[in-house]
Amino acid sequence: MAEGENEVRWDGLCSRDSATRDTALENIKQAILRKAEPLRSVKVLPYRSSEQPLNAASWDGFNRILARLLMLSKRCPFEDVREKSQFILKCVQELGIRIPRPLGHGPSRFIPEKEILQVGNEDAQMHTLFADSFAALGRLDNITLVMVFHPQYLESFLKTQHYLLQMDGPLPLHYRHYIGIMAAARHQCSYLVNLHVNDFLHVGGDPKWLNGLENAPQKLQNLGELNKVLAHRPWLITKEHIEQLLKAEEHSWSLAELVHAVVLLTHYHSLASFTFGCGISPEIHCDGGHTFRPPSVSNYCICDITNGNHSMEEIHVAGSVSITDSFCEVEALMEKMKQLQECRDEEEASQEEMASRFEIEKRESMFVFSSDDEEVAPTRDISRHFEDTSYGYKDFSRHGMHVPTFRVQDYCWEDHGYSLVNRLYPDVGQLIDEKFHIAYNLTYNTMAMHKDVDTSMLRRAIWNYIHCMFGIRYDDYDYGEINQLLDRSFKVYIKTVVCTPEKATKKMYDSFWRQFKHSEKVHVNLLLIEARMQAELLYALRAITRYMT
C-alpha cells in the first residue's frame, strides 16, 4: 500500500456485510480526521507543536487518501460507502482543507457520460457483478463501467482476470502485477501501469523494481524480449525465444510459469488496445482523474481540454455532422451483406482463388495506416518498465521480407492452444475459450436502427481481418468479403487499435460507423481485443509446442 495510507485500512469496505463496512467506515473517518488536524493548522503555524516541520510527503499522502475517498463516493457499488465517503470529505472541507473534485466527463473520453450506466442505477444482476469486481479489486474501474454495455462478456472477462491475478497459479502475486506493468508499458498505457503499480505494492512488491526493469529480478528482465516481440511482431516468435527462457540456469522459467506469463502478457497487450480504443479516462483516484483546483467559471478547466475532455456541446456538434450520409452508410452495409450472402449461395470460389484473395488482403492491410502516424514518444515514467523503446509495430511483409502464412488448419486455438494452456495452467484454457466465444458470438441482432439482423458475416470479417494483419489465414474464408464490408476509416481504426493503440484518437472513433450506437462500437472493441489476444497466443503457443517436440 502506498506510503501515507498505511494507517487507513480500506479492506473492510469490500465486505458484503453492511455492519463490517460500517465499522470500517467509522475507523476510516477517525483516522482521516486525526491526520487532518495537524494539517489544518498549517495555515496559521507552519510547524507542529513538537517543532517538526510539516513535510510535503504528509500532504501528498493525505491528498492520496482524499482522492481515494472521492473515488469511493462516485464508484463504490455499496450506497452506504458512497454516502459516508461524501460525508467524510465534507467534514474535511469544513476544517478548511481543500478536497478534490473529478476531472473529465465520466469513464470514457469518447462516450458521453449520460450514455454509460451510472453506479447506483444498476439492476440486481448488475449490482452483483459490480460488487464481485469491487470485492476482488477494491475498486470499480472505468474499463468495467464501459464493458458493462455487454454484461455477459463482462462477467466472463472479470472471472478470467480474477483467476489470472488472484487465484492459485504458477506465479507469485507480485510477479503477476509486474508482468501486467511490463505488458501495458509496451503500449505506453499509463492507465493500466498506474493501476498495477498500486496493486503490485498492495501485494507486497518491492518498490525498487518500479524504478526500472533493470532493478527487477533477472528472471523478469529475461521476459522483456518475449514481451517486446509478442506486443509488436508476434509472427517473429520462435522456439529459440522459448528455449532461452526455459534454460537460463538459475533464472530459468518452468513451462507452467511461462504459460502463465504469456497469458498475462497477451491479456494486458489486448487490454491496452481496449483502453485506448474506447478512450478510457484515468481513474478518479489516479493522476489525471482529479484536481484540487476550484472549478473555473465555465465549470471545466484547461486540464479538461488537454485531456481531450471538451464540453458536451462540442462533442454533440462534432458528432451530428451529415446524419443523412451516415444513415446511407448503414443501408449500404446491409445491402452488401445481403449481396454477399446471395453470392455465397450461388457459387463457391476455388481454393486457389481463396488463397489469392488472402494474399491481396494481407498486402493491402500494410497500406492502411492512420493519418496521425507520427511516433508517440514514451514518457520516462512508462519507458523505464521495458527495454528497447524504439522497437514497435512493423508490417510483417515489409521490404521484401517474407513471413510464412500461419495456417489455422495446421495450428489452431481449439485443437492445439486450448489443450496446451489447460494442461500447464489448469482451468485457464477453459476461461479464455469462453471469453473468445462470447465476444465472437455476441449479438443482439441489431445494426444501428435496424432489428432482426444476422450480424455473423460482419463479426467474422472483423475477426478475420485482424488475424489477416497478423499473417493468420483460414482456408475456408473468402477474404474478398473484407473489402466489401469494412470501409477505409473502419480499417484505419481497427489497425490502429490492434497494432499501435497509443495512436488511437477520438476522431478515428467518431469517423467509423457514424450512425451506430456506442454499445456497438464497444462490441467492436471486444472483438478487436479478443482476436488480437488469440493471434498473439497462437504464435507463442506454437513456439512452445515446437520447443516441446
Side-chain angles (χ1 to χ4, degrees), residues 87-113:
F87 175 73
I88 298 169
L89 283 170
K90 192 175 172 210
C91 292
V92 171
Q93 190 174 32
E94 285 169 357
L95 294 173
I97 294 173
R98 291 174 314 164
I99 62 168
R101 63 184 179 86
L103 270 177
H105 295 286
S108 165
R109 293 181 293 110
F110 297 174
I111 305 169
E113 188 173 13

Side-chain angles (χ1 to χ4, degrees), residues 71 75 102-109 140-143 190-192 194-195 275 279-290 303 307-309:
M71 178 272 287
R75 295 282 192 264
L103 270 177
H105 295 286
S108 165
R109 293 181 293 110
L140 193 59
D141 58 41
N142 289 338
I143 285 176
S190 56
Y191 172 88
L192 289 173
N194 287 338
L195 285 185
T275 300
I280 300 295
S281 302
E283 293 299 326
I284 289 172
H285 61 299
C286 292
D287 289 346
H290 63 273
C303 20
N307 283 336
N309 294 325

Side-chain angles (χ1 to χ4, degrees), residues 144-309:
T144 299
L145 292 173
V146 171
M147 281 186 180
V148 86
F149 278 117
H150 305 287
Q152 187 190 3
Y153 174 85
L154 175 61
E155 187 171 4
S156 176
F157 171 85
L158 291 174
K159 198 163 50 172
T160 306
Q161 184 167 262
H162 177 66
Y163 196 93
L164 287 174
L165 292 176
Q166 292 171 293
M167 300 297 281
D168 287 344
L171 293 173
L173 297 184
H174 62 303
Y175 265 52
R176 303 180 197 194
H177 290 293
Y178 197 81
I179 290 168
I181 292 167
M182 288 173 65
R186 280 271 26 140
H187 284 307
Q188 303 155 44
C189 187
S190 56
Y191 172 88
L192 289 173
V193 169
N194 287 338
L195 285 185
H196 285 281
V197 162
N198 289 334
D199 292 340
F200 171 78
L201 293 171
H202 186 68
V203 297
D206 185 344
K208 292 194 199 75
W209 298 10
L210 300 174
N211 293 331
L213 186 57
E214 67 279 4
N215 297 291
Q218 188 62 46
K219 184 171 176 174
L220 282 166
Q221 291 184 45
N222 292 348
L223 196 63
E225 180 71 14
L226 185 67
N227 179 28
K228 175 178 87 172
V229 180
L230 201 53
H232 305 299
R233 307 171 202 175
W235 46 87
L236 298 181
I237 290 172
T238 64
K239 69 176 183 181
E240 283 71 34
H241 286 107
I242 306 306
E243 189 171 23
Q244 284 165 13
L245 290 165
L246 297 174
K247 293 190 172 178
E249 296 173 355
E250 73 267 29
H251 306 299
S252 63
W253 292 73
S254 72
L255 267 171
E257 287 174 331
L258 186 57
V259 165
H260 194 170
V262 162
V263 173
L264 282 167
L265 289 171
T266 58
H267 177 80
Y268 281 104
H269 294 155
S270 303
L271 203 50
S273 284
F274 186 86
T275 300
F276 287 113
C278 290
I280 300 295
S281 302
E283 293 299 326
I284 289 172
H285 61 299
C286 292
D287 289 346
H290 63 273
T291 181
F292 283 87
R293 290 196 204 92
S296 61
V297 177
S298 64
N299 210 31
Y300 73 81
C301 69
I302 196 72
C303 20
D304 288 337
I305 299 171
T306 56
N307 283 336
N309 294 325

Side-chain angles (χ1 to χ4, degrees), residues 296-541:
S296 61
V297 177
S298 64
N299 210 31
Y300 73 81
C301 69
I302 196 72
C303 20
D304 288 337
I305 299 171
T306 56
N307 283 336
N309 294 325
H310 307 304
S311 70
M312 297 314 294
E313 289 73 23
E314 284 180 72
I315 291 169
H316 180 72
V317 170
S320 62
V321 177
S322 196
I323 294 288
T324 312
D325 286 356
S326 51
F327 180 80
C328 292
E329 279 176 357
V330 180
E331 301 298 319
L333 181 54
M334 291 188 65
E335 184 57 34
K336 280 176 188 169
M337 287 164 64
K338 183 181 168 192
Q339 288 170 0
L340 285 169
Q341 187 57 55
E342 287 167 358
C343 290
R344 267 189 198 171
D345 296 341
E346 286 171 18
E347 58 174 314
E348 196 173 311
S350 68
Q351 279 300 312
E352 293 78 13
E353 179 62 25
M354 300 268 261
S356 168
R357 288 174 187 175
F358 170 78
E359 291 301 328
I360 291 167
E361 189 55 53
K362 191 170 78 167
R363 277 198 303 276
E364 281 190 6
S365 76
M366 291 168 54
F367 299 105
V368 172
F369 51 87
S370 86
S371 52
D372 307 314
D373 210 25
E374 74 283 348
E375 288 301 314
V376 182
T379 64
R380 161 68 190 147
D381 229 31
I382 297 294
S383 65
R384 65 186 175 196
H385 298 300
F386 64 93
E387 298 162 323
D388 196 357
T389 55
S390 62
Y391 190 95
Y393 173 79
K394 289 282 187 291
D395 290 304
F396 48 84
S397 295
R398 68 195 189 289
H399 307 312
M401 269 184 67
H402 180 66
V403 176
T405 294
F406 187 125
R407 295 177 73 249
V408 170
Q409 277 65 20
D410 300 332
Y411 194 96
C412 68
W413 167 255
E414 290 79 6
D415 297 337
H416 307 93
Y418 169 84
S419 56
L420 178 62
V421 171
N422 245 21
R423 189 162 84 245
L424 293 168
Y425 186 8
D427 298 329
V428 166
Q430 178 68 40
L431 289 166
I432 295 170
D433 188 61
E434 179 186 279
K435 192 159 60 79
F436 286 157
H437 278 282
I438 290 172
Y440 187 86
N441 296 312
L442 187 64
T443 183
Y444 306 96
N445 298 306
T446 60
M447 267 180 65
M449 68 295 293
H450 297 279
K451 294 181 178 171
D452 302 317
V453 182
D454 179 359
T455 61
S456 55
M457 181 184 287
L458 189 53
R459 283 179 276 123
R460 191 177 184 193
I462 293 167
W463 188 279
N464 287 5
Y465 178 60
I466 293 158
H467 280 197
C468 177
M469 290 192 302
F470 283 89
I472 297 171
R473 182 189 165 210
Y474 295 81
D475 284 356
D476 62 347
Y477 182 68
D478 180 357
Y479 286 84
E481 291 186 4
I482 289 173
N483 268 343
Q484 297 288 314
L485 298 174
L486 313 183
D487 65 22
R488 183 164 183 81
S489 63
F490 193 13
K491 283 184 170 182
V492 166
Y493 178 79
I494 291 172
K495 186 169 183 181
T496 304
V497 169
V498 170
C499 302
T500 52
E502 58 278 9
K503 296 179 183 177
T505 63
K506 185 174 188 303
K507 185 179 173 186
M508 287 179 199
Y509 176 89
D510 289 339
S511 68
F512 83 90
W513 282 11
R514 288 172 292 175
Q515 198 61 24
F516 283 70
K517 302 183 190 85
H518 288 289
S519 60
E520 291 171 309
K521 292 193 173 193
V522 171
H523 184 192
V524 165
N525 274 278
L526 301 183
L527 284 167
L528 304 194
I529 67 172
E530 295 302 338
R532 174 186 179 169
M533 182 173 178
Q534 190 178 96
E536 285 190 27
L537 277 175
L538 283 173
Y539 279 109
L541 296 173

